[in-house]
Amino acid sequence: MKIVIPTFRRKHKQITFHNLCRKYQKKVTFVVRGEESCFFREQYPNNSLLVLPEHVHDIVGTRNYILDHIKGLIYILDDDLSFWKRQKRKVGSEKEIKWKNISINHHEKEQTKLMTLLQQSIEDGYMCTGVGLLDTKPTIGRYPFDVNYKLGGNLCIRNTKKFMYRYDPKLPASEDLDLQLQILSSGHRNKVFFNYVVSERGYAPGGCSVYRTLLFHNRSNLLLEKKWSEFVKSKRR
C-alpha cells in the first residue's frame, strides 16, 4: 500500500505524516506544488515526492493528478488527520463511546490492523474504502462499519485502469461526495469503517482554506444538488 498525502502551505504544520508510525511513514508519497518541493526533498529524503505542474492549483486538480500518476493500492489522506480507535464494542448512547488516539509510533499494532482492514476490503471487491470521521453522528448503528456510506478526505482504492472515476472540477468543494456518488450509482460498493476513525483538525492556514469560503462551499453544494437531484437535497436556512 502506498500512502499519499497532498499538502499545501503547511510544510511546517502538516500533521498526518507525524501521526503515522514509522512503518507507514516509509510508505508516504508527498504531493506538493513546485515552490515547496525543495523543502520536502530536504526534510523527507527517504520519501517519494510528486510535484504538481503549474496548472494544477486546487484540491480537485491535485487529486485527479494523483489518480493519473500514482497506481496500485493507494490510501489518500488529508494533511490534517489523527487516527482513533473505538474502545467499547457495545454502548447504549453516543455519550458512552470512548475513543483512543492511536496516532504516532507506539501504536504501530493498531495502525497495522487498520491498514489491513482497508486492504482486505479492496481484495473483497469494494471499489473504495476508508474510515469515518470522529465527529460523525450517530456512529452506534454503524459499528464496526457501514456499506455505501459517505466517504471524505481519506480514500483507499486500487488505482488501475478499472478505476475510471475522477473528481469533477465543476464541484470544487463537493468533490468527495460527487466521487462517491459516481461510484455508487455505477453499481459498485464502498465500505466505511467506524471502529477506526480519523479526526480532521482545521488547525492552520493553508490547504483548501486558502480559497474555500462559506459562499464557495454553498455554491458548490448547490451544483452538487443539481447534478445529483435524485440523491442530494440542500438544507437552506
Side-chain angles (χ1 to χ4, degrees):
M1 177 187 287
K2 302 170 186 175
I3 297 175
V4 184
I5 303 177
T7 184
F8 175 56
R9 293 187 183 177
R10 287 177 175 166
K11 59 186 181 183
H12 295 293
K13 296 182 179 180
Q14 62 84 20
I15 62 174
T16 303
F17 177 86
H18 301 290
N19 283 332
L20 291 166
C21 63
R22 280 190 290 271
K23 174 181 178 180
Y24 292 107
Q25 287 180 347
K26 296 176 182 178
K27 298 178 181 291
V28 167
T29 295
F30 288 105
V31 182
V32 303
R33 297 193 189 183
E35 63 265 30
E36 296 183 302
S37 60
C38 289
F39 172 87
F40 280 90
R41 285 195 179 98
E42 293 174 0
Q43 294 296 315
Y44 304 96
N46 297 319
N47 289 96
S48 299
L49 187 67
L50 180 65
V51 181
L52 299 168
E54 291 184 3
H55 68 270
V56 176
H57 52 77
D58 63 7
I59 190 60
V60 174
T62 298
R63 288 178 175 169
N64 283 334
Y65 196 80
I66 290 169
L67 294 178
D68 289 340
H69 290 84
I70 303 179
K71 302 299 180 180
L73 183 64
I74 63 174
Y75 190 21
I76 305 172
L77 292 170
D78 289 339
D79 65 358
D80 57 351
L81 301 179
S82 55
F83 303 88
W84 300 74
K85 179 186 178 181
R86 181 163 152 174
Q87 291 290 80
K88 293 184 178 181
R89 290 178 176 269
K90 295 182 179 180
V91 293
S93 71
E94 287 288 328
K95 293 181 180 180
E96 295 179 34
I97 297 177
K98 304 296 182 183
W99 298 96
K100 178 182 180 181
N101 192 331
I102 60 165
S103 301
I104 66 179
N105 195 55
H106 59 275
H107 290 297
E108 178 179 318
K109 183 177 179 180
E110 290 296 346
Q111 290 191 17
T112 299
K113 289 180 180 178
L114 166 58
M115 301 300 178
T116 301
L117 285 173
L118 299 178
Q119 182 169 345
Q120 186 61 52
S121 297
I122 298 299
E123 293 175 356
D124 289 342
Y126 291 93
M127 182 58 68
C128 59
T129 185
V131 301
L133 297 176
L134 185 63
D135 59 356
T136 298
K137 300 291 189 298
T139 59
I140 291 179
R142 299 190 179 107
Y143 181 89
F145 63 85
D146 203 352
V147 174
N148 299 341
Y149 190 70
K150 64 180 180 180
L151 188 57
N154 73 102
L155 179 74
C156 181
I157 61 171
R158 190 175 299 282
N159 191 24
T160 64
K161 291 182 179 179
K162 292 182 179 180
F163 193 86
M164 303 174 291
Y165 310 97
R166 290 296 182 269
Y167 294 93
D168 188 344
K170 296 178 182 178
L171 301 170
S174 312
E175 76 285 352
D176 291 329
L177 290 175
D178 173 70
L179 187 78
Q180 294 305 308
L181 287 168
Q182 291 180 50
I183 292 169
L184 299 178
S185 65
S186 65
H188 293 288
R189 302 178 299 161
N190 72 18
K191 189 173 187 179
V192 184
F193 287 94
F194 283 93
N195 50 347
Y196 293 94
V197 297
V198 291
S199 177
E200 295 180 323
R201 180 182 172 192
Y203 63 94
C208 298
S209 66
V210 170
Y211 60 89
R212 284 187 174 181
T213 63
L214 180 60
L215 180 61
F216 187 90
H217 271 273
N218 288 343
R219 286 175 174 171
S220 184
N221 288 334
L222 289 174
L223 291 172
L224 180 73
E225 180 183 32
K226 183 177 181 180
K227 180 177 180 179
W228 298 101
S229 58
E230 183 179 354
F231 306 110
V232 178
K233 298 298 178 185
S234 296
K235 184 177 181 181
R236 296 168 172 81
R237 296 181 179 179

